[in-house]
Amino acid sequence: MNHPENLTLINTFYTAFQERDAEKMASCYHMNITFHDPAFQNLAGVHAGNMWRMLLVQADKNMKIRYGEVWANETEGGAKWEADYVFSKTGRLVNNKITAHFKFKDGKIIEHKDCFNLWKWSGMALGPIGYVLGFSSLLKNKIRAQAKSGLKKFEDKLN
C-alpha cells in the first residue's frame, strides 16, 4: 500500500531535481543518508547532498530530467528516472535511464541507491572508447576515481 508522505518526499526530490534546486533535494535526505550508484559509490551524510550540488552546478543548461513509476510504502520506495544532457568532458549527448530505490527514516530518505548500466553510460558519454572498454574494471574504476576526485575538489571549494 502506498504511503502518502513518502510518495510526496520522492516527488519533492525529483521536482527539485527538475528545477535544479540541490538544496531542496538535499533537504529530503536524512542527516545519516547513504547514497550509492555505479559512479559515486558509498557516499554518506553531507557528501550525498554535495554530489547533487556539484552535478547541478556543472550540469548542461539544457539538461532534462523526467521521472515516473513512483511508489512508496512505510519503509521503502522507488522511481524510474531519465536524464538527457551533454557530457561536458566530451560534448557527447547522454540519455541515462536510472532505477532508484529508497529507504525512509524519520520522514526523510535514509538510503538512496541509483542503478544504471555504466557500460551503456560510458559508451554514450565517452564514445567508441567507452563502448569498447566500458565493461572493463579498469575504465569503471577510472570513472569512479574521477567522480570521487571531482566531488572532493568541489567540496574543498565549499570550505
Side-chain angles (χ1 to χ4, degrees):
M1 184 161 156
N2 276 326
H3 189 272
E5 290 85 5
N6 290 339
L7 282 174
T8 297
L9 187 61
I10 294 172
N11 283 307
T12 298
F13 181 85
Y14 285 110
T15 300
F17 197 3
Q18 290 174 322
E19 295 170 352
R20 296 173 175 256
D21 187 344
E23 296 310 314
K24 190 167 207 165
M25 292 174 76
S27 77
C28 295
Y29 281 166
H30 190 279
M31 63 186 284
N32 295 320
I33 181 71
T34 59
F35 176 88
H36 179 91
D37 80 2
F40 291 94
Q41 298 187 313
N42 305 318
L43 297 178
V46 69
H47 303 293
N50 284 343
M51 176 207 53
W52 295 114
R53 289 176 182 99
M54 178 187 76
L55 291 176
L56 287 174
V57 163
Q58 296 174 353
D60 164 24
K61 66 179 173 137
N62 296 313
M63 177 182 69
K64 301 277 188 270
I65 303 295
R66 293 177 303 287
Y67 75 98
E69 297 183 45
V70 177
W71 65 275
N73 60 35
E74 272 189 37
T75 59
E76 61 185 338
K80 293 195 176 187
W81 63 279
E82 286 186 51
D84 292 314
Y85 59 94
V86 174
F87 186 60
S88 61
K89 292 184 172 140
T90 61
R92 297 181 59 86
L93 184 61
V94 172
N95 168 253
N96 202 12
K97 296 179 181 183
I98 300 109
T99 300
H101 186 263
F102 304 98
K103 290 187 179 175
F104 307 107
K105 182 177 179 182
D106 303 328
K108 301 280 187 174
I109 299 166
I110 186 98
E111 185 178 298
H112 180 175
K113 290 184 180 178
D114 275 349
C115 297
F116 61 89
N117 187 314
L118 193 56
W119 175 66
K120 283 184 182 177
W121 177 89
S122 65
M124 288 183 279
L126 305 174
I129 192 89
Y131 282 113
V132 172
L133 297 176
F135 65 90
S136 74
S137 60
L138 180 69
L139 186 58
K140 289 177 183 176
N141 289 337
K142 183 173 182 176
I143 290 168
R144 291 172 181 144
Q146 287 178 341
K148 185 177 180 179
S149 171
L151 181 57
K152 181 170 181 350
K153 287 177 187 170
F154 179 80
E155 289 179 326
D156 287 346
K157 289 180 185 175
L158 294 177
N159 297 328

